[in-house]
Amino acid sequence: MLATRVNSNLVFNEPTLAMDLYYHPLARQSQKTLIALYEKQASFSPHIIDLSNAFSRRSFQQVSDACKLPLLHVRTKEFFNDASIIIEYLDNYISSGTQLIPIDKTQALYVRLYDRLSDNQLDREIEAWLEAVNTSSNQIYIKRLERAMLTSMEYFDRRLANNHWVCGESFSLADCAFIPCLITLESRLQLLDYEHIGRYWIQAKLRGSVSQVIEEIELTLATLGQSELVVHT
């Protein structure tokens, strides 16, 4: 089936994509990808992969030697295993739903910048801090990691003072990256104590794509018999 997409002065036929997503509901990069898929109202076949399970890992290796999540398989034999690249692909080829990367080049640059800041800075700081909390007895080291993470959170809080979403009035790739960090931190920090992140977090949870991801997380935790999100990036 072909759909028609109108973008600026271009009109072209857009095929309905058949896609498989390999992911884990507790992994932040997988959550980021799921939020984007729901925002784009994309149809896809979900495959939950637990890389800590030997059988699940071996099965997944038949699909991808790299064994890295998330992985989007488009049935034109294309594979993408980076969340940001997956979202760029979705935004380029699916016209329905939310436009996650602005057409304006300057706006798009800032969206990609804050996507990178979430992934390469805040997400890694969260992972390092949680790993230290779970494995280290060095409280000075843990506090140093916590301070670095909180500094990044304060930076985003200041950013949101003048922005409805991370990069302006529109939900974007940058929000897809930032929200999974907040999902992980909700049970560990008082997010509502942040003046602007608190407001942002309330509105994010009211968004359909985010509530769907949170619902799947809660279902997965209940199935595993866990009370909170573990380090599972």
Side-chain angles (χ1 to χ4, degrees):
M1 180 183 297
L2 295 179
T4 300
R5 180 181 181 183
V6 179
N7 185 353
S8 186
N9 296 320
L10 300 177
V11 179
F12 56 92
N13 286 331
E14 177 185 87
T16 300
L17 298 173
M19 301 182 292
D20 293 277
L21 179 70
Y22 299 85
Y23 72 105
H24 196 284
L26 303 187
R28 287 189 291 279
Q29 291 298 301
S30 292
Q31 293 162 12
K32 172 181 173 178
T33 305
L34 285 171
I35 291 170
L37 282 161
Y38 295 145
E39 286 288 334
K40 297 300 295 181
Q41 302 170 12
S43 177
F44 65 97
S45 299
H47 305 275
I48 295 178
I49 304 296
D50 183 357
L51 294 178
S52 67
N53 178 282
F55 177 77
S56 180
R57 189 180 187 90
R58 280 197 301 271
S59 298
F60 184 47
Q61 283 176 327
Q62 302 302 310
V63 178
S64 170
D65 291 336
C67 216
K68 181 177 180 292
L69 298 176
L71 175 72
L72 185 74
H73 174 209
V74 184
R75 293 174 200 166
T76 53
K77 298 185 178 179
E78 293 176 289
F79 290 86
F80 304 96
N81 66 355
D82 176 271
S84 294
I85 298 299
I86 290 171
I87 295 170
E88 291 251 12
Y89 180 87
L90 296 173
D91 217 40
N92 282 337
Y93 290 101
I94 299 177
S95 60
S96 60
T98 306
Q99 183 170 353
L100 296 171
I101 301 171
I103 295 172
D104 180 86
K105 290 183 179 180
T106 300
Q107 292 176 1
L109 179 65
Y110 278 99
V111 164
R112 291 186 176 96
L113 170 63
Y114 281 90
D115 168 62
R116 296 295 80 213
L117 286 174
S118 286
D119 279 1
N120 294 337
Q121 186 168 312
L122 180 58
D123 186 277
R124 292 181 182 180
E125 289 166 349
I126 291 170
E127 184 171 4
W129 176 60
L130 292 178
E131 183 176 1
V133 167
N134 291 325
T135 61
S136 177
S137 59
N138 187 335
Q139 294 302 311
I140 295 175
Y141 173 64
I142 292 172
K143 281 295 182 183
R144 185 166 70 246
L145 294 174
E146 182 179 348
R147 278 197 301 273
M149 179 190 68
L150 293 178
T151 298
S152 293
M153 286 289 286
E154 289 162 5
Y155 176 78
F156 274 93
D157 193 58
R158 291 192 298 273
R159 171 75 182 175
L160 288 165
N162 299 310
N163 291 280
H164 187 66
W165 297 105
V166 171
C167 286
E169 294 302 309
S170 300
F171 192 94
S172 71
L173 164 66
D175 299 286
C176 295
F178 183 51
I179 288 169
C181 295
L182 300 185
I183 291 173
T184 297
L185 292 173
E186 183 180 29
S187 63
R188 296 172 172 87
L189 299 181
Q190 297 296 323
L191 294 181
L192 298 184
D193 286 349
Y194 287 92
E195 181 179 359
H196 307 294
I197 286 177
R199 179 268 306 163
Y200 175 91
W201 181 229
I202 290 170
Q203 77 189 29
K205 289 194 292 182
L206 293 174
R207 201 167 179 94
S209 60
V210 178
S211 64
Q212 282 181 267
V213 169
I214 291 174
E215 184 177 337
E216 185 167 358
I217 291 169
E218 291 172 346
L219 179 61
T220 303
L221 291 174
T223 301
L224 296 174
Q226 296 173 200
S227 60
E228 61 175 18
L229 220 56
V230 294
V231 179
H232 202 312
T233 59

